[in-house]
Amino acid sequence: MALSGVHKNKGELRIHESLDELRTDLADYVAELSEASVKERGVFAIALSGGSLIGLMGKLCEAPYNKTVDWSKWYIFWADERVVAKNHADSNYKLAKDGLLSKVSIVPSHVHSINDSVSAEEAADDYEFAIRQLVKTRVVSVSEISDCPKFDLILLGLGPDGHVASLFPNHPALNEREEWVTFITDSPKPPPERITFTLPVINSASNVAVVVTGESKAESVHLAIDDIGPDSPLIPARMVQPAMGKLVWFLDKLAASKLDSNLNK
Ligand code: 6PG
């Protein structure tokens, strides 16, 4: 492991020397959370995002994780999804299926992807309904303080503009407080139609990990984590602050290069 530190209430920072080191640390982290959750609750409810995240999780498909993780207890969700067909190149489901889920022994009925044959609005409603059923049966736990679902782990990427899931800067979806899942039809990152977990759901999770690599994200990482002045833009990633859960940032050296608190400096 490279450098690690706790940065006030902005979570734990894990800064890695190489992508390979980050991949191993991420696989260890997910495997450990899975084990702890299965021990405590009998299941592991994990929400994925799209982008480079899935590739960075690739070590989970390799030894020892492919054999040691109790895949049969995993329930898979998406923190955000593009409203396209499941076999479309833009689908986050397809990305995860091709890159991870098809390579390990996940139970097909535990994979909770969106309804891809309806509008973005209906897909968001359907997804929230599906999650509500699983909260009733406690496949997904419930937050004691917000009544929101409490996922065991939500994995997020970070855009160069500071977006997480499909919560983009200055977008009204950031203000959603009632819905668990909302929709947008004007995503600045294509494709335009998406569904996304809302901030109350992200911030109710037991664990949230933000996985960020590359220099193009360095400014957003700085704006999300460092003590910035009141005139600095409030980017969505800065609003990720789990109320009771634990936040961990997985960064490579380039993504961490603009952090005031960069332990490398
Ligand atoms: C999406 C993603 C999105 C992604 C970030 C980072 O569906 O577009 O969920 O939030 O995680 O844009 O993507 P990269 O890691 O590929 O830059």
Side-chain angles (χ1 to χ4, degrees), residues 48-54 56 78-82 90-92 95 155-161 163-168 187 189-191 194-195 211-213 216-217:
L48 306 172
S49 297
S52 57
L53 170 73
I54 301 299
L56 292 168
W78 276 265
D80 72 316
E81 177 58 290
R82 294 94 178 266
D90 284 339
S91 162
N92 285 344
L95 181 73
L155 286 159
L156 301 171
L158 174 73
D161 60 354
H163 79 263
V164 290
S166 286
L167 296 166
F168 290 89
S187 167
K189 177 183 178 183
R194 290 153 173 263
I195 64 111
V211 183
V212 197
T213 62
S216 67
K217 317 281 179 71

Side-chain angles (χ1 to χ4, degrees), residues 45 75-78 109-115 121-141 149 151 179-181 195 197:
Y75 286 75
I76 322 279
F77 301 83
W78 276 265
S109 63
H110 293 181
V111 178
H112 293 280
S113 54
I114 68 160
N115 181 349
E121 182 170 10
E122 286 170 292
D125 285 351
D126 284 5
Y127 207 49
E128 179 166 327
F129 181 80
I131 294 170
R132 283 191 187 277
Q133 305 318 302
L134 293 162
V135 165
K136 275 189 199 154
T137 55
R138 292 293 186 268
V139 165
V140 179
S141 194
F151 286 91
E179 312 277 358
W180 292 355
V181 182
I195 64 111
F197 283 2

